[in-house]
Amino acid sequence: MEAPRVTVIGGGLAGSEAAYQLLRAGFAVDLVEARPAVQSPAHASLLCAEMVCTNSLRSDAEDTAPGLLKDEMRRVGSLLLASADATRVPAGTALAVDRWAFAWTVTASLLAHPRLHLRRHAVERLPEGPTVLASGPLTAPALAAHLGEQLGGGLHFYDAIAPIVEADSIDWSRVFRGERRDADSRDYVNCPLDRPAYDRLVAGLRSAERVPPHPFEEERFFEGCLPVEVMAARGDDVLAFGPLRPVGLTDPRTGERPYAVVQLRAEDEAQTCYNLVGFQTRLTHPEQRRVFRQIPGLEQAEFSRLGSIHRNSYLDAPRVLGPRAELTARPLVRAAGQLAGVEGYLESGALGLVVGLLLAADLRGATLAPPPGTTALGALLRHVTRRRGRLERYEPSNVIFGLLPEAESRIRDKRRRRVAIRERALQDLDRWLVELHDALPELGRAESPAHARV
């Protein structure tokens, strides 16, 4: 008998993960990617799971919410986490990857499945059969218009891409290595600023010319990923207490803590390029060169990529989705990734994983509840689907401990409290995994991802 067929719209991180989980469960998958028929302004290749904004999947530390989410995804059998672990580059406690090797590994793993059919064309309308909608924040206009008609409108906000500098253009005599959590780490490069240098940078950011939005576009920003010039405009010391905070860092040349620090993170394993951490921007390209070359150590910086702005579309998920991320108007269609209102590559992949597995169980007629809300996976799904009060506004979110319920007994020490939440989450996840494999016994016969570096 031919395996049931599912359409996955979008070959980004969410769509790739959802497709892989459906393949594991024995389904045939039509993975539909619009590129190259419709090339987005942010992508540079035809690979699945291309990371365009950053090469980081954020912290891998056990006492962080992203660290917990990664551990849960590894236990469930995430393709993205297996591929990221196989292609990671030094980044301290963060999980950063060689973005091209990562995308190659994910793509090769998917194409290795005989039930995977990769189709390249633009989808303009939702298909009739079971579908995972993971078209991402750059959903093509025709499909976005169709969704608006089906769902009665939608929301949008804007995200910005940080610039990348070439390593050999950095003045290494003016910078030092170290991480806020580990002064001995050599994974981050720090550009120290004294108060006058910091003030000049803030003034430059405030006065620089920006790329204006189109007349029909509403300017809205996600608080967790504000353009650096927007943060500078909010107050003199907003950056010094935000992405430029010098806490835990001492300049070895002076023996003192700088007033502020611009951090650079390696973009590839060979460390030939560095990303300006927290410097997502919508400044014009000439202004980026002028302003960012005011940063100590970057006076002669050569940029292999400058920042840019792009539209991020997402659904008013609590209004249009049911508890399993199904469109209430079309229950066989499930929403995943940033289109559903999670923020970040890690979170997009996590939602793709959950949605793929829940859809597989539903199509098999098996009983499988969503992951418990005490887990990071379950908390993300709950954030997307939880109904809000009349005055409570729905906004995208990264994974944070605030999405998970507190431990049974309130613990004063923050780290111990997080450890308790983590232990409970993993215990509850292990119990859910038993239910998962009962509902989808095919998962136990899954092929291993293709970890080889391509």
Side-chain angles (χ1 to χ4, degrees):
M1 179 183 298
E2 185 178 355
R5 184 170 295 279
V6 180
T7 300
V8 176
I9 302 174
L13 275 75
S16 295
E17 186 68 76
Y20 180 73
Q21 298 305 326
L22 287 158
L23 292 166
R24 288 182 67 199
F27 292 87
V29 174
D30 287 326
L31 178 58
V32 186
E33 170 55 50
R35 292 170 290 152
V38 178
Q39 188 69 26
S40 84
H43 291 84
S45 80
L46 300 181
L47 297 173
C48 296
E50 181 185 340
M51 299 171 68
V52 298
C53 296
T54 177
N55 68 329
S56 175
L57 294 173
R58 302 170 59 214
S59 177
D60 215 16
E62 291 187 351
D63 61 344
T64 66
L68 171 61
L69 181 59
K70 291 188 193 70
D71 282 349
E72 292 183 7
M73 293 173 70
R74 290 183 179 105
R75 292 191 182 205
V76 177
S78 164
L79 169 63
L80 297 182
L81 263 293
S83 301
D85 288 335
T87 60
R88 69 188 304 158
V89 298
T93 55
L95 175 56
V97 303
D98 181 320
R99 67 175 76 203
W100 301 116
F102 171 78
W104 271 111
T105 302
V106 172
T107 304
S109 297
L110 291 170
L111 294 178
H113 283 270
R115 295 187 303 277
L116 188 284
H117 300 275
L118 179 59
R119 308 196 185 281
R120 295 193 178 276
H121 63 84
V123 175
E124 297 185 352
R125 302 181 65 85
L126 293 173
E128 291 301 321
T131 302
V132 175
L133 178 61
S135 49
L138 301 178
T139 296
L143 179 57
H146 174 64
L147 288 173
E149 295 172 0
Q150 294 282 304
L151 305 174
L155 301 173
H156 62 273
F157 70 104
Y158 295 86
D159 197 4
I161 297 175
I164 296 173
V165 298
E166 297 178 8
D168 58 9
S169 70
I170 298 171
D171 184 349
W172 293 95
S173 69
R174 304 200 64 187
V175 301
F176 65 95
R177 291 186 179 271
E179 186 189 355
R180 293 185 179 98
R181 284 174 170 258
D182 181 4
D184 295 327
S185 170
R186 298 186 57 79
D187 294 343
Y188 284 82
V189 174
N190 301 285
C191 303
L193 293 85
D194 57 18
R195 183 60 194 255
Y198 173 81
D199 288 342
R200 286 194 297 272
L201 177 62
V202 170
L205 290 168
R206 289 174 173 174
S207 63
E209 182 182 358
R210 307 176 185 185
V211 177
H214 292 98
F216 58 84
E217 293 176 331
E218 175 192 3
E219 269 195 344
R220 294 182 58 200
F221 297 108
F222 171 53
E223 288 295 319
C225 192
L226 288 172
V228 65
E229 64 273 9
V230 172
M231 288 186 279
R234 289 187 171 185
D236 292 345
D237 285 324
V238 169
L239 287 172
F241 285 91
L244 273 64
R245 63 190 183 280
V247 175
L249 295 170
T250 300
D251 188 339
R253 299 167 303 171
T254 64
E256 297 179 354
R257 175 186 294 178
Y259 185 79
V261 166
V262 174
Q263 286 201 309
L264 312 178
R265 181 180 58 234
E267 273 290 305
D268 56 1
E269 192 169 19
Q271 300 185 18
T272 60
C273 296
Y274 284 82
N275 184 298
L276 275 68
V277 178
F279 269 63
Q280 53 274 359
T281 183
R282 61 184 184 135
L283 300 183
T284 64
H285 285 184
E287 291 289 76
Q288 289 182 51
R289 294 186 181 94
R290 179 183 69 83
V291 174
F292 298 152
R293 283 173 180 160
Q294 297 177 12
I295 298 170
L298 302 185
E299 292 87 351
Q300 304 298 320
E302 294 295 330
F303 295 90
S304 60
R305 184 189 73 189
L306 287 162
S308 65
I309 189 167
H310 56 272
R311 177 178 61 87
N312 270 6
S313 302
Y314 65 99
L315 304 174
D316 185 2
R319 182 174 66 83
V320 301
L321 298 184
R324 302 170 79 81
E326 74 275 19
L327 298 185
T328 52
R330 298 278 300 276
L332 281 179
V333 178
R334 309 297 169 94
Q338 285 185 262
L339 188 66
V342 293
E343 177 62 23
Y345 287 129
L346 174 67
E347 292 83 350
S348 296
L351 196 58
L353 182 152
V354 171
V355 166
L357 291 173
L358 291 178
L359 177 58
D362 291 345
L363 294 176
R364 293 291 188 205
T367 300
L368 177 65
T374 51
T375 66
L377 287 168
L380 270 180
L381 179 63
R382 183 177 182 274
H383 168 75
V384 168
T385 59
R386 179 178 64 85
R387 298 288 179 178
R388 267 67 174 173
R390 185 173 60 88
L391 300 179
E392 190 177 0
R393 182 173 174 175
Y394 175 62
E395 292 187 349
S397 180
N398 293 114
V399 62
I400 56 175
F401 277 114
L403 297 181
L404 283 77
E406 283 287 351
E408 291 184 7
S409 58
R410 176 75 178 182
I411 302 172
R412 287 183 175 273
D413 179 76
K414 182 171 71 173
R415 189 178 187 284
R416 289 181 55 215
R417 185 166 67 249
R418 289 181 172 182
V419 168
I421 293 173
R422 170 188 171 82
E423 290 177 349
R424 179 191 62 190
L426 295 180
Q427 290 171 1
D428 290 351
L429 181 74
D430 285 344
R431 284 190 282 269
W432 183 77
L433 286 175
V434 174
E435 300 175 10
L436 172 65
H437 285 273
D438 286 344
L440 297 171
E442 298 87 355
L443 297 179
R445 301 193 299 272
E447 303 92 336
S448 297
H451 296 327
R453 303 287 288 270
V454 180

mmCIF file of all heavy atoms in Angstrom, residues 126-157:
data_model
loop_
_atom_site.group_PDB
_atom_site.id
_atom_site.type_symbol
_atom_site.label_atom_id
_atom_site.label_comp_id
_atom_site.label_asym_id
_atom_site.label_seq_id
_atom_site.Cartn_x
_atom_site.Cartn_y
_atom_site.Cartn_z
ATOM 1 N N LEU A 126 -3.602 27.034 -0.711
ATOM 2 C CA LEU A 126 -3.442 25.854 0.118
ATOM 3 C C LEU A 126 -4.000 24.638 -0.605
ATOM 4 O O LEU A 126 -5.095 24.697 -1.174
ATOM 5 C CB LEU A 126 -4.184 26.031 1.446
ATOM 6 C CG LEU A 126 -3.632 27.095 2.397
ATOM 7 C CD1 LEU A 126 -4.567 27.269 3.585
ATOM 8 C CD2 LEU A 126 -2.245 26.719 2.867
ATOM 9 N N PRO A 127 -3.270 23.514 -0.602
ATOM 10 C CA PRO A 127 -3.800 22.295 -1.219
ATOM 11 C C PRO A 127 -4.931 21.714 -0.385
ATOM 12 O O PRO A 127 -5.180 22.140 0.753
ATOM 13 C CB PRO A 127 -2.583 21.374 -1.250
ATOM 14 C CG PRO A 127 -1.701 21.853 -0.155
ATOM 15 C CD PRO A 127 -1.909 23.338 -0.068
ATOM 16 N N GLU A 128 -5.612 20.732 -0.930
ATOM 17 C CA GLU A 128 -6.772 20.154 -0.253
ATOM 18 C C GLU A 128 -6.395 19.123 0.803
ATOM 19 O O GLU A 128 -7.105 18.952 1.783
ATOM 20 C CB GLU A 128 -7.714 19.510 -1.283
ATOM 21 C CG GLU A 128 -8.403 20.514 -2.185
ATOM 22 C CD GLU A 128 -9.245 21.511 -1.404
ATOM 23 O OE1 GLU A 128 -9.897 21.111 -0.423
ATOM 24 O OE2 GLU A 128 -9.244 22.697 -1.766
ATOM 25 N N GLY A 129 -5.303 18.393 0.610
ATOM 26 C CA GLY A 129 -4.948 17.312 1.529
ATOM 27 C C GLY A 129 -4.205 17.795 2.763
ATOM 28 O O GLY A 129 -4.062 19.000 3.020
ATOM 29 N N PRO A 130 -3.694 16.835 3.583
ATOM 30 C CA PRO A 130 -2.936 17.196 4.785
ATOM 31 C C PRO A 130 -1.703 18.010 4.418
ATOM 32 O O PRO A 130 -0.954 17.655 3.505
ATOM 33 C CB PRO A 130 -2.572 15.854 5.401
ATOM 34 C CG PRO A 130 -2.744 14.844 4.311
ATOM 35 C CD PRO A 130 -3.799 15.370 3.418
ATOM 36 N N THR A 131 -1.498 19.100 5.139
ATOM 37 C CA THR A 131 -0.471 20.070 4.771
ATOM 38 C C THR A 131 0.162 20.670 6.015
ATOM 39 O O THR A 131 -0.531 20.950 6.998
ATOM 40 C CB THR A 131 -1.082 21.211 3.927
ATOM 41 O OG1 THR A 131 -1.697 20.663 2.765
ATOM 42 C CG2 THR A 131 -0.032 22.233 3.518
ATOM 43 N N VAL A 132 1.462 20.874 5.958
ATOM 44 C CA VAL A 132 2.155 21.686 6.950
ATOM 45 C C VAL A 132 2.522 23.001 6.276
ATOM 46 O O VAL A 132 3.239 23.013 5.266
ATOM 47 C CB VAL A 132 3.419 20.996 7.494
ATOM 48 C CG1 VAL A 132 4.177 21.946 8.439
ATOM 49 C CG2 VAL A 132 3.055 19.711 8.226
ATOM 50 N N LEU A 133 2.021 24.085 6.815
ATOM 51 C CA LEU A 133 2.270 25.409 6.268
ATOM 52 C C LEU A 133 3.450 26.016 7.021
ATOM 53 O O LEU A 133 3.314 26.464 8.161
ATOM 54 C CB LEU A 133 1.022 26.278 6.415
ATOM 55 C CG LEU A 133 1.105 27.719 5.934
ATOM 56 C CD1 LEU A 133 1.419 27.773 4.447
ATOM 57 C CD2 LEU A 133 -0.196 28.451 6.237
ATOM 58 N N ALA A 134 4.612 26.007 6.380
ATOM 59 C CA ALA A 134 5.830 26.520 6.997
ATOM 60 C C ALA A 134 6.549 27.437 6.014
ATOM 61 O O ALA A 134 7.755 27.340 5.812
ATOM 62 C CB ALA A 134 6.736 25.363 7.414
ATOM 63 N N SER A 135 5.779 28.317 5.392
ATOM 64 C CA SER A 135 6.316 29.174 4.335
ATOM 65 C C SER A 135 7.160 30.315 4.882
ATOM 66 O O SER A 135 7.780 31.036 4.100
ATOM 67 C CB SER A 135 5.177 29.730 3.477
ATOM 68 O OG SER A 135 4.150 30.288 4.284
ATOM 69 N N GLY A 136 7.179 30.489 6.188
ATOM 70 C CA GLY A 136 8.135 31.386 6.804
ATOM 71 C C GLY A 136 7.760 32.851 6.771
ATOM 72 O O GLY A 136 6.699 33.246 6.269
ATOM 73 N N PRO A 137 8.667 33.663 7.298
ATOM 74 C CA PRO A 137 8.388 35.100 7.399
ATOM 75 C C PRO A 137 8.401 35.827 6.066
ATOM 76 O O PRO A 137 7.983 36.969 5.991
ATOM 77 C CB PRO A 137 9.526 35.597 8.297
ATOM 78 C CG PRO A 137 10.641 34.636 8.060
ATOM 79 C CD PRO A 137 9.976 33.309 7.873
ATOM 80 N N LEU A 138 8.895 35.155 5.014
ATOM 81 C CA LEU A 138 8.940 35.771 3.693
ATOM 82 C C LEU A 138 7.951 35.098 2.755
ATOM 83 O O LEU A 138 8.215 34.910 1.569
ATOM 84 C CB LEU A 138 10.355 35.693 3.125
ATOM 85 C CG LEU A 138 11.438 36.372 3.979
ATOM 86 C CD1 LEU A 138 12.798 36.187 3.349
ATOM 87 C CD2 LEU A 138 11.135 37.838 4.181
ATOM 88 N N THR A 139 6.801 34.702 3.287
ATOM 89 C CA THR A 139 5.760 34.055 2.484
ATOM 90 C C THR A 139 5.464 34.878 1.226
ATOM 91 O O THR A 139 5.285 36.093 1.301
ATOM 92 C CB THR A 139 4.479 33.888 3.320
ATOM 93 O OG1 THR A 139 4.763 33.011 4.414
ATOM 94 C CG2 THR A 139 3.347 33.314 2.499
ATOM 95 N N ALA A 140 5.425 34.186 0.080
ATOM 96 C CA ALA A 140 5.226 34.864 -1.200
ATOM 97 C C ALA A 140 3.898 35.623 -1.208
ATOM 98 O O ALA A 140 2.917 35.201 -0.585
ATOM 99 C CB ALA A 140 5.262 33.855 -2.340
ATOM 100 N N PRO A 141 3.841 36.744 -1.899
ATOM 101 C CA PRO A 141 2.637 37.591 -1.870
ATOM 102 C C PRO A 141 1.348 36.873 -2.249
ATOM 103 O O PRO A 141 0.313 37.097 -1.624
ATOM 104 C CB PRO A 141 2.984 38.702 -2.881
ATOM 105 C CG PRO A 141 4.472 38.791 -2.850
ATOM 106 C CD PRO A 141 4.945 37.375 -2.646
ATOM 107 N N ALA A 142 1.398 36.007 -3.263
ATOM 108 C CA ALA A 142 0.165 35.341 -3.692
ATOM 109 C C ALA A 142 -0.377 34.432 -2.597
ATOM 110 O O ALA A 142 -1.583 34.440 -2.311
ATOM 111 C CB ALA A 142 0.419 34.540 -4.971
ATOM 112 N N LEU A 143 0.497 33.642 -1.973
ATOM 113 C CA LEU A 143 0.056 32.764 -0.901
ATOM 114 C C LEU A 143 -0.379 33.581 0.312
ATOM 115 O O LEU A 143 -1.369 33.242 0.974
ATOM 116 C CB LEU A 143 1.179 31.797 -0.524
ATOM 117 C CG LEU A 143 0.863 30.811 0.610
ATOM 118 C CD1 LEU A 143 -0.375 29.982 0.287
ATOM 119 C CD2 LEU A 143 2.057 29.896 0.884
ATOM 120 N N ALA A 144 0.341 34.666 0.617
ATOM 121 C CA ALA A 144 -0.046 35.514 1.745
ATOM 122 C C ALA A 144 -1.436 36.099 1.526
ATOM 123 O O ALA A 144 -2.251 36.158 2.453
ATOM 124 C CB ALA A 144 0.987 36.623 1.936
ATOM 125 N N ALA A 145 -1.713 36.520 0.296
ATOM 126 C CA ALA A 145 -3.035 37.072 -0.006
ATOM 127 C C ALA A 145 -4.112 36.005 0.159
ATOM 128 O O ALA A 145 -5.201 36.270 0.687
ATOM 129 C CB ALA A 145 -3.045 37.646 -1.419
ATOM 130 N N HIS A 146 -3.811 34.775 -0.307
ATOM 131 C CA HIS A 146 -4.768 33.673 -0.162
ATOM 132 C C HIS A 146 -5.025 33.374 1.312
ATOM 133 O O HIS A 146 -6.182 33.171 1.722
ATOM 134 C CB HIS A 146 -4.235 32.431 -0.875
ATOM 135 C CG HIS A 146 -5.063 31.206 -0.667
ATOM 136 N ND1 HIS A 146 -6.358 31.085 -1.108
ATOM 137 C CD2 HIS A 146 -4.756 30.018 -0.056
ATOM 138 C CE1 HIS A 146 -6.834 29.898 -0.786
ATOM 139 N NE2 HIS A 146 -5.876 29.230 -0.149
ATOM 140 N N LEU A 147 -3.966 33.356 2.124
ATOM 141 C CA LEU A 147 -4.145 33.122 3.556
ATOM 142 C C LEU A 147 -4.995 34.220 4.187
ATOM 143 O O LEU A 147 -5.842 33.945 5.044
ATOM 144 C CB LEU A 147 -2.781 33.056 4.244
ATOM 145 C CG LEU A 147 -1.948 31.811 3.988
ATOM 146 C CD1 LEU A 147 -0.558 31.972 4.591
ATOM 147 C CD2 LEU A 147 -2.634 30.577 4.564
ATOM 148 N N GLY A 148 -4.750 35.457 3.769
ATOM 149 C CA GLY A 148 -5.552 36.552 4.293
ATOM 150 C C GLY A 148 -7.027 36.375 3.999
ATOM 151 O O GLY A 148 -7.881 36.629 4.848
ATOM 152 N N GLU A 149 -7.322 35.898 2.796
ATOM 153 C CA GLU A 149 -8.717 35.642 2.435
ATOM 154 C C GLU A 149 -9.303 34.510 3.269
ATOM 155 O O GLU A 149 -10.446 34.580 3.728
ATOM 156 C CB GLU A 149 -8.814 35.293 0.951
ATOM 157 C CG GLU A 149 -8.426 36.431 0.012
ATOM 158 C CD GLU A 149 -8.346 35.967 -1.426
ATOM 159 O OE1 GLU A 149 -8.603 34.754 -1.664
ATOM 160 O OE2 GLU A 149 -8.031 36.781 -2.315
ATOM 161 N N GLN A 150 -8.523 33.436 3.454
ATOM 162 C CA GLN A 150 -8.993 32.271 4.196
ATOM 163 C C GLN A 150 -9.194 32.578 5.675
ATOM 164 O O GLN A 150 -10.110 32.051 6.309
ATOM 165 C CB GLN A 150 -7.990 31.129 4.052
ATOM 166 C CG GLN A 150 -7.853 30.556 2.660
ATOM 167 C CD GLN A 150 -9.004 29.619 2.313
ATOM 168 O OE1 GLN A 150 -9.263 28.657 3.014
ATOM 169 N NE2 GLN A 150 -9.716 29.933 1.235
ATOM 170 N N LEU A 151 -8.330 33.435 6.220
ATOM 171 C CA LEU A 151 -8.298 33.619 7.675
ATOM 172 C C LEU A 151 -8.810 34.974 8.132
ATOM 173 O O LEU A 151 -8.830 35.255 9.330
ATOM 174 C CB LEU A 151 -6.865 33.434 8.184
ATOM 175 C CG LEU A 151 -6.206 32.102 7.798
ATOM 176 C CD1 LEU A 151 -4.753 32.091 8.233
ATOM 177 C CD2 LEU A 151 -6.961 30.933 8.424
ATOM 178 N N GLY A 152 -9.180 35.815 7.189
ATOM 179 C CA GLY A 152 -9.707 37.111 7.581
ATOM 180 C C GLY A 152 -8.650 38.098 8.027
ATOM 181 O O GLY A 152 -8.865 38.886 8.948
ATOM 182 N N GLY A 153 -7.483 38.083 7.369
ATOM 183 C CA GLY A 153 -6.436 39.057 7.691
ATOM 184 C C GLY A 153 -5.278 38.432 8.419
ATOM 185 O O GLY A 153 -5.272 37.250 8.751
ATOM 186 N N GLY A 154 -4.268 39.213 8.719
ATOM 187 C CA GLY A 154 -3.074 38.718 9.406
ATOM 188 C C GLY A 154 -2.283 39.876 9.968
ATOM 189 O O GLY A 154 -2.733 41.024 9.959
ATOM 190 N N LEU A 155 -1.108 39.575 10.470
ATOM 191 C CA LEU A 155 -0.238 40.567 11.087
ATOM 192 C C LEU A 155 1.127 40.488 10.429
ATOM 193 O O LEU A 155 1.463 39.528 9.755
ATOM 194 C CB LEU A 155 -0.116 40.302 12.586
ATOM 195 C CG LEU A 155 -1.413 40.315 13.391
ATOM 196 C CD1 LEU A 155 -1.140 39.864 14.816
ATOM 197 C CD2 LEU A 155 -2.046 41.693 13.389
ATOM 198 N N HIS A 156 1.944 41.516 10.678
ATOM 199 C CA HIS A 156 3.317 41.451 10.196
ATOM 200 C C HIS A 156 4.220 42.324 11.057
ATOM 201 O O HIS A 156 3.759 43.218 11.755
ATOM 202 C CB HIS A 156 3.425 41.880 8.726
ATOM 203 C CG HIS A 156 3.018 43.304 8.474
ATOM 204 N ND1 HIS A 156 1.722 43.652 8.225
ATOM 205 C CD2 HIS A 156 3.738 44.448 8.436
ATOM 206 C CE1 HIS A 156 1.658 44.963 8.036
ATOM 207 N NE2 HIS A 156 2.867 45.464 8.164
ATOM 208 N N PHE A 157 5.511 42.032 11.045
ATOM 209 C CA PHE A 157 6.500 42.852 11.715
ATOM 210 C C PHE A 157 7.790 42.752 10.911
ATOM 211 O O PHE A 157 7.832 42.107 9.878
ATOM 212 C CB PHE A 157 6.715 42.438 13.170
ATOM 213 C CG PHE A 157 7.413 41.124 13.343
ATOM 214 C CD1 PHE A 157 8.742 41.082 13.723
ATOM 215 C CD2 PHE A 157 6.751 39.928 13.145
ATOM 216 C CE1 PHE A 157 9.386 39.870 13.892
ATOM 217 C CE2 PHE A 157 7.391 38.712 13.327
ATOM 218 C CZ PHE A 157 8.714 38.689 13.694
#
